[in-house]
Amino acid sequence: MNNNQPDRDQISDIRQALRRPLPGLAGQMQMMPQPRPGMERGFDPAHCPREGGVLLLLYPKAGELTLVLTRRADTLHHHRGQVSFPGGAWEPSDADFVQTALREAQEELGIQPETLTILGTLTPLYIPPSDYRIYPAVAYTPQRPDFRPDPCEVALVLEMPLAELTSGRNIHTETWELRGYPVEVPFFEVDGHKVWGATAMVLGEFRALMCSAAIPSPQPLAEQTP
């Protein structure tokens, strides 16, 4: 038996699920703070926010399909110290938001775009506090990247086994005070860090996609050698 077969089968299932109608807002709302900070002022459909791409990258680690997150440096202007996906603002030289996500992942973590396979995209999400609309791309690489974080942007690299996401066992909810109001905040706990807000909402849609498509739980897999 080929030890990589479970890996290939699951990645194929995820690719096919991304080609079907997405969970969209319903999936995102499962991890949305209530009430959502910044939404009290409403959203003008004619408003043109800044836009960017983020990367949800899957790869094998220690026999499990895993995804990478980063804790943003405390010196950054937006969302400092929070956990996020690799990603950033669209630039005129980017062909699309997928290329934005790949370029930013290379700049932040040293991930080589040519080693990745794009599986599809998730639903765009507007972030009121930073006035950004993000476009999530889902990608896969058959071996764990040699992460080389840029200290100006990344304080810490976090890795979450996909089994933790799909099981929901690391989902919690707390009441926080945000902008002077009590807010019920759902979050994923990853190595003692709370993943909330837009990042959790994107993960919420991806989790809903996995569940609605009845994609089997990750099986042990082998990391390919170069």
Side-chain angles (χ1 to χ4, degrees):
M1 177 178 176
N2 188 327
N3 288 333
N4 291 320
Q5 189 64 43
D7 179 20
R8 289 202 302 267
D9 289 348
Q10 192 181 26
I11 292 300
S12 177
D13 288 343
I14 293 172
R15 189 202 303 268
Q16 292 301 318
L18 287 165
R19 293 176 178 174
R20 296 192 287 270
L22 297 170
L25 181 61
Q28 295 170 346
M29 286 184 64
Q30 294 179 20
M31 296 300 295
M32 184 174 75
Q34 299 288 343
R36 191 180 181 199
M39 292 304 289
E40 64 276 359
R41 65 175 182 268
F43 181 72
D44 181 0
H47 175 61
C48 295
R50 293 173 290 178
E51 296 181 303
V54 299
L55 186 67
L56 198 162
L57 178 60
L58 303 170
Y59 55 91
K61 179 189 176 185
E64 293 188 90
L65 201 57
T66 301
L67 59 87
V68 65
L69 299 163
T70 68
R71 187 171 72 79
R72 294 167 60 82
D74 293 329
T75 53
L76 293 174
H77 183 62
H78 292 297
H79 307 291
R80 61 176 64 92
Q82 293 185 16
V83 177
S84 67
F85 297 107
W90 178 85
E91 295 184 358
S93 59
D94 297 334
D96 52 30
F97 294 112
V98 172
Q99 186 174 342
T100 300
L102 295 176
R103 174 181 53 76
E104 289 285 342
Q106 184 174 27
E107 293 174 2
E108 293 179 15
L109 292 175
I111 298 170
Q112 299 304 309
E114 63 273 12
T115 66
L116 309 184
T117 298
I118 301 298
L119 304 179
T121 58
L122 293 169
T123 305
L125 176 64
Y126 176 64
I127 308 171
S130 57
D131 193 29
Y132 258 100
R133 181 183 289 121
I134 58 171
Y135 294 77
V138 183
Y140 168 72
T141 185
Q143 65 180 55
R144 182 182 181 275
D146 178 17
F147 296 119
R148 299 183 181 184
D150 178 352
C152 294
E153 298 194 59
V154 177
L156 184 68
V157 175
L158 299 171
E159 297 175 276
M160 178 168 67
L162 193 56
E164 289 189 12
L165 176 69
T166 55
S167 72
R169 59 177 175 260
N170 63 343
I171 296 177
H172 307 280
T173 300
E174 293 178 347
T175 301
W176 299 357
E177 185 174 306
L178 299 174
R179 294 176 177 80
Y181 297 95
V183 177
E184 293 296 308
V185 179
F187 61 89
F188 295 95
E189 185 171 352
V190 181
D191 291 340
H193 296 268
K194 297 176 181 179
V195 184
W196 68 286
T199 302
M201 291 174 69
V202 172
L203 287 172
E205 184 186 18
F206 188 62
R207 180 175 182 269
L209 178 84
M210 299 278 289
C211 294
S212 66
I215 296 174
S217 298
Q219 301 296 318
L221 52 91
E223 184 173 338
Q224 294 184 7
T225 57

